[in-house]
Amino acid sequence: ASYSKSFKGNHTMLASGYYKYTKDMITRFLTEGTNPVTGESDIINTYVNANSGYITGLELTSVNPVTKWWDMTSNINIYNSKINTENINELSQDALWSWFGKFNNTFKLPQNYIIQITADYQSKTNIPVNNGGGGFGPPMSQAQTASQGYIKAFWGMDIAFRKSFMKNNAATITLGITDIFKTRYNRQYSYSPYFIQDFSRIMNPQMIKLNFSYRFGKIDMSLFK
């Protein structure tokens, strides 16, 4: 359920409440088993289908033209989530309150230059949200769910420089740097009666991207009427 409101000065706010229930959710799972080679007891790191999982929360998105040359978009997502693992003889952990925030700033400079700075933060969670924002709830696409612990908090920042040129600004060149400070690590803490594990990996490494685009032709909007 969503509600949108526009204010004076082209300010816009969108509020969305959501509830999502998933059966047979895929989740990381660690268990104890016998190594067929050594015959000793080892920890098996695998994936299983949890009995179910739910997530419910509130998402707020605000678009604010601060000045003629500065636009800001803010997205905050507060949610409660739980993964039920009773079907795999595992005591389900308690539900967890988490939040995700993403803030985008666009600066319009002279000579058709544009600078865009984006920052996001994910708090401690067991079901991560999509850092795209405006998605009406977490689709669980950024990091593996954690049914035996939690995903540790992380943050990141991106920056992009864009220049438009040629007739009618038909050509555009963009230089983008993702994860400027190399902070977007997926770190998970897992536990059970017979193990404790700290898990860390980088999902999307820092990248520098150079893009060139050229628009040609003219769109006749009357074709869509």
Side-chain angles (χ1 to χ4, degrees):
S2 300
Y3 174 78
S4 178
K5 174 70 174 178
S6 296
F7 302 90
K8 183 179 179 180
N10 293 324
H11 296 271
T12 305
M13 183 195 72
L14 173 67
S16 305
Y18 59 88
Y19 174 81
K20 183 177 181 179
Y21 176 82
T22 306
K23 295 177 62 178
D24 300 325
M25 176 186 294
I26 298 175
T27 180
R28 282 189 71 235
F29 187 74
L30 283 82
T31 186
E32 189 177 32
T34 301
N35 188 315
V37 178
T38 64
E40 297 179 355
S41 179
D42 284 336
I43 301 299
I44 300 173
N45 190 342
T46 184
Y47 298 90
V48 297
N49 288 102
N51 183 50
S52 63
Y54 78 82
I55 183 163
T56 183
L58 175 68
E59 182 176 33
L60 300 174
T61 301
S62 177
V63 179
N64 304 101
V66 182
T67 66
K68 291 182 179 180
W69 51 269
W70 178 16
D71 292 334
M72 180 170 61
T73 301
S74 307
N75 175 264
I76 297 178
N77 198 323
I78 303 171
Y79 59 96
N80 181 265
S81 56
K82 180 177 175 63
I83 303 174
N84 180 7
T85 55
E86 294 175 355
N87 61 310
I88 46 181
N89 298 321
E90 183 78 12
L91 182 64
S92 299
Q93 61 186 5
D94 295 334
L96 184 63
W97 279 101
S98 308
W99 72 278
F100 169 81
K102 183 174 184 179
F103 308 95
N104 182 75
N105 293 274
T106 301
F107 304 95
K108 302 174 183 177
L109 305 180
Q111 305 297 322
N112 295 320
Y113 283 98
I114 292 179
I115 298 177
Q116 189 174 74
I117 300 175
T118 303
D120 55 68
Y121 176 83
Q122 170 68 71
S123 73
K124 172 184 173 182
T125 183
N126 54 6
I127 300 179
V129 303
N130 181 356
N131 64 18
F136 310 116
M140 298 168 289
S141 63
Q142 298 302 313
Q144 189 64 46
T145 57
S147 62
Q148 295 168 291
Y150 53 84
I151 301 167
K152 296 182 179 181
F154 64 90
W155 68 281
M157 184 176 292
D158 308 325
I159 189 169
F161 305 90
R162 187 172 69 194
K163 165 68 174 175
S164 299
F165 54 98
M166 297 183 68
K167 185 178 179 180
N168 297 322
N169 292 321
T172 302
I173 187 168
T174 304
L175 175 66
I177 305 174
T178 63
D179 196 13
I180 301 172
F181 302 104
K182 295 184 179 180
T183 54
R184 285 199 186 103
Y185 280 86
N186 173 22
R187 294 185 172 95
Q188 296 188 17
Y189 174 81
S190 302
Y191 60 88
S192 82
Y194 43 81
F195 74 86
I196 293 177
Q197 183 187 71
D198 279 296
F199 171 88
S200 178
R201 69 173 173 175
I202 188 165
M203 297 289 290
N204 298 299
Q206 184 184 56
M207 290 175 28
I208 299 177
K209 299 179 289 185
L210 183 64
N211 177 269
F212 173 80
S213 63
Y214 179 78
R215 299 185 305 276
F216 59 91
K218 184 178 180 180
I219 297 177
D220 185 356
M221 298 305 296
S222 65
L223 297 175
F224 298 96
K225 295 182 180 179

